[in-house]
Amino acid sequence: MASTREIRRRIRSVKNTAQITKAMQMVAASKMRR
């Protein structure tokens, strides 16, 4: 059974990676438009 602290940390890291991937997609889309 994982502790709530570890779960919160894992969720936070997943959200951070999701934001990074979204930013990467935005940059790729802007490059494709050019």
Side-chain angles (χ1 to χ4, degrees), residues 3-29:
S3 64
T4 55
R5 196 173 295 171
E6 288 179 8
I7 292 166
R8 283 179 184 166
R9 192 180 300 164
R10 198 167 296 168
I11 290 167
R12 194 172 296 166
S13 64
V14 169
K15 283 184 181 178
N16 286 342
T17 51
Q19 284 181 345
I20 291 165
T21 51
K22 193 175 284 184
M24 291 278 284
Q25 285 179 345
M26 289 285 286
V27 170

